[in-house]
């Protein structure tokens, strides 16, 4: 008894699922993460929050806060002030709060992509 298993290449599977750079799933992940992060960054004038929307290229795999003082406000030990969700260590707090929700959203979206083919 013999059998032959034919499979697609990893590259092909990634492409079908939208996992490659600039793929549908990567764009969805970037959009979801950037939207989840916005309520956590400092908001005096709203520049950091707006910067996420403008500087992040969906599909790149990176969420960018493109203001020179963002790192200082996020990680300086001198800054202790927090207003609601906003304040120091925004990335870490967002991941702590939203990780499961984001993973579930991405999983559901990936299933919809896979079922659509």
């Amino acid at each position: 008894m013999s059998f032959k298993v034919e499979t697609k290449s990893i590259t092909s599977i990634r492409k079908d699922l939208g996992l490659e750079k600039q793929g549908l799933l990567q764009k969805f992940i970037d959009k979801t993460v950037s939207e989840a992060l916005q309520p956590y960054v400092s908001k005096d004038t709203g520049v950091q929050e707006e910067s996420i929307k403008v500087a992040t290229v969906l599909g790149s795999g990176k969420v960018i806060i493109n203001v020179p003082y963002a790192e200082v406000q996020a990680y300086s030990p001198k800054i202790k002030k927090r207003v609601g969700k906003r304040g120091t260590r925004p990335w870490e707090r967002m991941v702590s709060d939203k990780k499961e929700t984001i993973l579930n959203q991405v999983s559901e979206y990936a299933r919809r992509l896979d079922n659509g083919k």
Side-chain angles (χ1 to χ4, degrees):
M1 180 169 154
S2 67
F3 60 92
K4 183 178 179 181
V5 177
E6 293 184 25
T7 62
K8 294 181 178 181
S9 69
I10 293 295
T11 305
S12 177
I13 292 170
R14 283 185 177 163
K15 185 175 181 181
D16 289 348
L17 294 175
L19 291 173
E20 76 279 4
K21 277 201 176 213
Q22 300 300 320
L24 291 175
L25 187 58
Q26 186 62 60
K27 287 179 181 180
F28 180 82
I29 292 168
D30 293 354
K31 182 176 185 285
T32 304
V33 170
S34 66
E35 288 174 353
L37 182 61
Q38 288 172 24
Y40 289 84
V41 297
S42 296
K43 184 178 183 177
D44 185 23
T45 61
V47 172
Q48 286 189 49
E49 192 172 0
E50 189 62 30
S51 170
I52 294 172
K53 297 175 192 174
V54 173
T56 299
V57 177
L58 298 182
S60 68
K62 296 178 183 178
V63 174
I64 298 170
I65 304 172
N66 192 22
V67 292
Y69 52 85
E71 187 173 6
V72 172
Q73 287 186 341
Y75 297 104
S76 173
K78 295 178 183 177
I79 298 174
K80 303 281 186 213
K81 186 173 148 185
R82 187 180 291 169
V83 179
K85 292 180 183 180
R86 299 185 187 279
T88 57
R89 306 191 90 56
W91 175 259
E92 291 81 358
R93 289 183 299 103
M94 183 277 294
V95 169
S96 177
D97 291 349
K98 304 284 185 175
K99 179 179 161 184
E100 291 303 317
T101 302
I102 292 170
L103 289 173
N104 288 335
Q105 289 174 334
V106 169
S107 177
E108 288 173 19
Y109 185 76
R111 283 191 191 101
R112 288 195 307 266
L113 281 178
D114 190 39
N115 291 335
K117 296 197 180 242

